[in-house]
């Protein structure tokens, strides 16, 4: 099926530093998403992005989080500054239309020390 | 706020025996349901999508939806050891593209 790539696969960072997670979505998809999964817990929606704008976000999408997709390149999630509770696996997803199947990447494992 | 619960939490079946997984949701306006599975340390693989009451089959995977009962199930015919994974129910309400995932069922298929 369609492939979503995520870079890096793992990231270890000190608390307070900035981190950028990169997602290469399916090429013709228009909607982009980030989800967060803490070890052993449910996957939770963070944000939905379309046409250069955040369409929906959850309470987990703190002020320290931001997303962008400059000029059709990577769809990124930036956390600045990071906190210990940001340690999780972050999954990127994309879909062609908003209600279509979302295709997921393999995740980026973020550890904040 | 949408709540999505799955049962059982874990399930062990023998190769070839039908596996049945359940999912209940709380928002009666939900109209978009998918089953995904997640192998360890990998991304999610979509298995079947269903949008109206009744049954939808994709290969060995069949979803049943009963919106009046706020229930969607997944049945896996002739499961194989390679089907061992965590199965996730994913639900969207009509007024949002946000997907709410269930708590997951860990399936183990024994040879």
């Amino acid at each position: 099926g369609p492939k979503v790539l995520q870079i890096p696969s793992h990231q270890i960072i000190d608390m307070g530093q900035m981190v950028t997670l990169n997602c290469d979505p399916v090429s013709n998809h228009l909607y982009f998403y980030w989800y967060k999964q803490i070890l052993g817990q449910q996957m939770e929606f963070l944000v939905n992005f379309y046409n250069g704008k955040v369409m929906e976000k959850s309470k987990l999408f703190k002020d320290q989080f931001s997303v962008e997709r400059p000029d059709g390149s990577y769809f990124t999630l930036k956390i600045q500054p990071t906190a210990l509770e940001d340690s999780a696996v972050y999954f990127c997803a994309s879909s062609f239309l908003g209600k279509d199947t979302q295709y997921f990447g393999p995740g980026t494992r973020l550890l904040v020390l | 706020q949408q709540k999505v619960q799955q049962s059982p939490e874990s399930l062990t079946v023998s190769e070839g025996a039908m596996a049945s997984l359940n999912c209940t949701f709380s928002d009666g306006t939900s109209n978009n349901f998918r089953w995904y599975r997640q192998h360890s340390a990998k991304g999610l693989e979509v298995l079947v999508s269903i949008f109206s009451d009744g049954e939808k089959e994709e290969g060995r995977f069949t979803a049943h939806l009963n919106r009046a009962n706020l229930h969607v199930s997944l049945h896996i015919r002739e499961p194989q050891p390679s089907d061992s994974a965590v199965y996730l129910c994913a639900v969207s309400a009509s007024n949002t593209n946000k997907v709410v995932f269930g708590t997951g069922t860990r399936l183990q298929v024994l040879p």
Side-chain angles (χ1 to χ4, degrees):
Chain A
K3 295 279 187 208
V4 174
L5 304 177
Q6 289 187 240
I7 302 160
S9 59
H10 295 77
Q11 179 88 53
I12 300 174
I13 197 162
D14 290 326
M15 183 177 65
Q17 287 195 305
M18 181 192 78
V19 68
T20 300
L21 309 184
N22 298 291
C23 173
D24 188 8
V26 178
S27 60
N28 65 337
H29 284 185
L30 303 175
Y31 287 78
F32 312 106
Y33 311 82
W34 284 102
Y35 292 83
K36 176 182 180 182
Q37 187 175 35
I38 293 173
L39 186 64
Q41 297 185 22
Q42 268 166 280
M43 185 171 305
E44 295 188 271
F45 170 82
L46 283 176
V47 66
N48 169 14
F49 187 83
Y50 168 73
N51 197 26
K53 300 188 190 102
V54 170
M55 302 300 290
E56 295 175 271
K57 59 183 180 180
S58 72
K59 290 178 188 174
L60 296 178
F61 194 77
K62 304 179 296 185
D63 290 343
Q64 297 89 328
F65 288 32
S66 63
V67 290
E68 63 175 355
R69 192 184 187 216
D71 302 322
S73 59
Y74 286 148
F75 174 52
T76 62
L77 173 66
K78 186 184 292 185
I79 309 174
Q80 181 177 27
T82 50
L84 295 177
E85 61 265 28
D86 297 331
S87 295
V89 181
Y90 290 83
F91 289 94
C92 171
S94 69
S95 64
F96 180 59
L97 296 174
K99 285 292 192 184
D100 284 349
T101 297
Q102 293 178 25
Y103 291 90
F104 284 77
T108 292
R109 280 147 190 79
L110 177 65
L111 178 61
V112 181
L113 302 176
Chain B
Q1 183 171 332
Q2 175 91 267
K3 300 274 186 215
V4 181
Q5 300 284 334
Q6 289 183 239
S7 64
E9 196 173 304
S10 65
L11 177 65
T12 300
V13 299
S14 298
E15 186 173 1
M18 176 81 80
S20 296
L21 289 64
N22 298 295
C23 174
T24 59
F25 52 95
S26 61
D27 185 340
T29 69
S30 300
N31 62 355
N32 194 305
F33 305 86
R34 290 189 172 86
W35 283 95
Y36 288 86
R37 71 180 173 189
Q38 186 177 24
H39 287 104
S40 295
K42 291 189 181 174
L44 275 64
E45 174 191 0
V46 61
L47 300 172
V48 58
S49 305
I50 187 165
F51 311 112
S52 56
D53 284 348
E55 181 179 298
K56 175 80 178 295
E57 183 177 313
E58 295 281 357
R60 295 183 295 109
F61 302 97
T62 301
H64 289 263
L65 175 62
N66 183 327
R67 286 202 288 175
N69 288 346
L70 303 176
H71 183 259
V72 58
S73 60
L74 177 70
H75 304 275
I76 308 172
R77 184 167 42 86
E78 297 175 7
Q80 298 150 17
S82 57
D83 291 322
S84 297
V86 175
Y87 287 75
L88 298 172
C89 173
V91 181
S92 288
S94 58
N95 61 346
T96 176
N97 296 333
K98 168 184 165 181
V99 169
V100 179
F101 283 90
T103 46
T105 292
R106 183 173 296 278
L107 175 68
Q108 184 176 19
V109 182
L110 301 176

